[in-house]
Amino acid sequence: MTSSTTADHGVALTERAISSVEADPLRLVLDHNRFAGPWLTQGRARPVPAAALAALALSGGRALSPSLRRWLAFDSGFLRRSGWFGPADGADGGLALTPRPLGEIARAEFGAGWGQTFDPLSERFAECFLLPGGSDSRRVLAVGEPDEYGEHPVLALDIDDLPCIELMYPGLDVYLADTAGVITVAGEGYSAAARDARYAARMRTHARNHLAGELSEDFTRW
C-alpha cells in the first residue's frame, strides 16, 4: 500500500488526470470498450464557459465537487456523452445537470428485468450519473453526503449472480486518475481502494454514509 499525499486527492489528483489526457487526447477512455470513445471528443477539450460553470449546481443547490468543477473547466464532452447534461431552462446557452435515480440508470443499462432490482435503492441514491466502465457491470457517481475532500462516491453496479452495488472509488478524482492510468489501485474486487492506504479513510467515510458501514450490498432479483 502507498502512503497518501495531497497529490493523491481532489483537484491536485484531477490535474494529474488532465495532464495525462492532454498528452494523448484521442486515447480511448476504456481499452476494452471502444463504444466509450476517446477522452476528448475529436481530440479537442470542450470546457464549460466560466459563467455557465459558476451557475452550475447539483439538485437543491448543492455545490459541485472540487474534482467535477475542475474537470468541467477542462472538458465537458466526456461527460456529455454519458448523459450528464440536458438543456438549461434559460436561453443563455447555459447547462443543466440531469441526474437520475439509481434504478432508472440500471433499467436503461441492464434492461427492465435486471434493472428493476435496483429500484428500491432509488430513494437512497436519488441523484446519480453514469460513468464509463465495466462490461457487464456499470459505474455510477452517487451524489450524497461528501467526504472530507468534498467528493461523492463512485459505485459499481453488477448483475452477475446476485445483483449488487459496491463502493468502488471515493470520488470522481480517483475514478478519473485510475481510468486515465495516472494511479494504480491494486488488489482484487471492486472495492480494492478500501485496502489502499491512500483511500481507505475516504472509502470508510462513504461506507458509513451510504451503505450502513459496509462496502457492498447484495439483494435478490425478485
Side-chain angles (χ1 to χ4, degrees):
M1 293 191 295
T2 305
S3 60
S4 179
T5 70
T6 56
D8 295 319
H9 304 277
V11 172
L13 183 57
T14 306
E15 293 283 5
R16 294 169 62 192
I18 289 172
S19 295
S20 175
V21 169
E22 287 180 320
D24 189 3
L26 287 174
R27 176 163 48 109
L28 295 178
V29 177
L30 303 173
D31 292 337
H32 63 276
N33 184 351
R34 301 186 66 86
F35 292 108
W39 278 100
L40 298 184
T41 305
Q42 297 180 335
R44 300 196 313 272
R46 300 186 179 187
V48 174
L53 184 57
L56 203 58
L58 299 168
S59 297
R62 186 193 296 268
L64 305 184
S65 72
S67 66
L68 177 56
R69 184 169 297 279
R70 177 63 190 97
W71 184 265
L72 291 177
F74 164 63
D75 176 62
S76 62
F78 162 66
L79 298 181
R80 285 177 189 270
R81 298 198 311 263
S82 295
W84 282 49
F85 297 103
D89 294 332
D92 57 358
L95 291 174
L97 287 163
T98 53
R100 292 177 286 169
L102 187 68
E104 183 177 327
I105 290 179
R107 284 172 177 267
E109 295 300 308
F110 297 133
W114 284 106
Q116 68 179 324
T117 63
F118 295 84
D119 285 343
L121 300 173
S122 288
E123 183 175 356
R124 192 191 323 172
F125 300 108
E127 191 172 356
C128 297
F129 298 92
L130 183 67
L131 288 163
S135 49
D136 294 333
S137 60
R138 297 294 185 272
R139 311 288 178 262
V140 171
L141 181 80
V143 175
E145 186 68 26
D147 64 19
E148 56 267 43
Y149 288 87
E151 299 292 334
H152 305 285
V154 173
L155 307 173
L157 279 59
D158 200 319
I159 56 173
D160 189 28
D161 297 325
L162 285 178
C164 73
I165 58 171
E166 189 163 347
L167 185 59
M168 188 167 186
Y169 296 107
L172 183 66
D173 54 341
V174 184
Y175 165 85
L176 290 170
D178 189 37
T179 306
V182 171
I183 62 170
T184 298
V185 178
E188 298 294 326
Y190 293 126
S191 57
R195 298 181 293 278
D196 188 308
R198 296 168 295 182
Y199 305 115
R202 292 177 61 187
M203 293 285 279
R204 288 194 299 270
T205 294
H206 289 310
R208 289 193 301 270
N209 289 340
H210 302 283
L211 292 169
E214 301 296 329
L215 292 171
S216 66
E217 186 170 330
D218 300 327
F219 40 95
T220 57
R221 184 176 178 185
W222 307 115

